[in-house]
């Protein structure tokens, strides 16, 4: 099944929940609002022509242009994206779903943006969501055990954010 066919099914089943799409991308994708994520994912998993039974990975992407000279040319407002890659063993097709988030919840620096957990739909989301939480600073609501995966519990910040400042020292150990 092509990306265009997958998107057509999603648009037919989900009404206006598909905010943007690109069927011609190397990895065809659709963008949905955070509040529509669970319902669209249920269609991806349960629709007989889609049957996306595998969640391959979840990635957090930071779109922040730090160079003030390049910022006006960047073509986007600073934001975070959560990118979900799915596969169907039954139909042998793949698809990507994206959710755009503000850099900070309520525009309050330090308040992590939130997205619902997909662990109830795909148990594999457990470790993927923990990785994105740890490294990109996105909080997954309803995750059964959301805590840092790679970094120590008292680590400050999220290293895959573009504005992250690497600490010069951690518990007396020089970092640079």
């Amino acid at each position: 099944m092509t990306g265009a066919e997958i998107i057509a099914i999603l648009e037919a089943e989900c009404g206006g929940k598909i905010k943007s799409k690109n069927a011609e991308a190397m990895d065809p994708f659709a963008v949905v609002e955070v509040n529509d994520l669970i319902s669209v994912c249920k269609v991806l998993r349960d629709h007989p022509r889609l049957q996306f039974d595998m969640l391959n990975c979840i990635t957090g992407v930071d779109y922040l242009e730090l160079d003030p000279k390049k910022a006006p040319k960047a073509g986007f407002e600073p934001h975070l994206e959560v990118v979900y890659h799915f596969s169907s063993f039954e139909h042998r097709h793949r698809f990507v779903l994206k959710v755009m988030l503000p850099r900070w919840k309520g525009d309050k620096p330090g308040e992590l943006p939130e997205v619902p957990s997909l662990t109830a739909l795909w148990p594999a989301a457990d470790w993927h969501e923990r990785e994105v939480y740890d490294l990109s600073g996105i909080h997954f609501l309803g995750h059964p055990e959301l805590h840092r995966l790679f970094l120590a519990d008292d680590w400050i910040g999220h290293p895959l954010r573009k504005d992250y400042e690497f600490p010069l020292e951690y518990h007396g150990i020089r970092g640079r």
Side-chain angles (χ1 to χ4, degrees):
M1 182 176 293
T2 68
E5 292 169 322
I6 293 168
I7 290 169
I9 291 171
L10 285 176
E11 289 179 322
E13 295 292 321
C14 301
K17 294 180 181 177
I18 305 302
K19 298 303 173 196
S20 64
K21 62 199 176 210
N22 186 342
E24 303 305 318
M26 183 180 296
D27 292 320
F29 68 88
V31 178
V32 298
E33 296 288 336
V34 68
N35 295 333
D36 297 324
L37 178 64
I38 297 294
S39 62
V40 172
C41 283
K42 285 180 180 177
V43 172
L44 286 171
R45 185 191 66 181
D46 299 338
H47 192 282
R49 291 190 55 214
L50 299 179
Q51 292 183 316
F52 285 100
D53 47 12
M54 181 175 177
L55 173 60
N56 300 54
C57 75
I58 303 172
T59 307
V61 183
D62 187 356
Y63 286 94
L64 174 66
E65 181 53 64
L66 293 173
D67 185 342
K69 293 179 184 175
K70 293 181 182 177
K73 299 176 190 174
F76 57 81
E77 290 295 318
H79 69 281
L80 298 174
E81 284 184 12
V82 183
V83 183
Y84 300 87
H85 290 259
F86 299 100
S87 293
S88 170
F89 286 112
E90 177 70 24
H91 299 295
R92 299 200 179 271
H93 52 228
R94 298 163 40 111
F95 193 67
V96 174
L97 194 64
K98 299 181 180 185
V99 176
M100 293 185 182
L101 301 168
R103 292 188 50 73
W104 303 109
K105 181 181 174 184
D107 288 327
K108 295 179 186 171
E111 295 288 325
L112 300 182
E114 299 172 338
V115 66
S117 174
L118 296 184
T119 54
L121 298 174
W122 291 278
D126 183 0
W127 289 78
H128 295 292
E129 290 175 355
R130 285 180 57 197
E131 178 181 1
V132 172
Y133 165 73
D134 193 9
L135 300 177
S136 298
I138 297 169
H139 190 267
F140 290 87
L141 296 171
H143 189 282
E145 193 181 350
L146 190 63
H147 60 270
R148 289 199 181 265
L149 184 62
F150 299 113
L151 301 170
D153 288 336
D154 64 345
W155 192 268
I156 297 171
H158 305 278
L160 292 185
R161 283 188 173 236
K162 291 185 178 176
D163 56 356
Y164 176 73
E165 293 184 26
F166 193 84
L168 296 176
E169 186 178 285
Y170 175 72
H171 291 287
I173 302 168
R174 184 162 167 71
R176 288 187 185 202

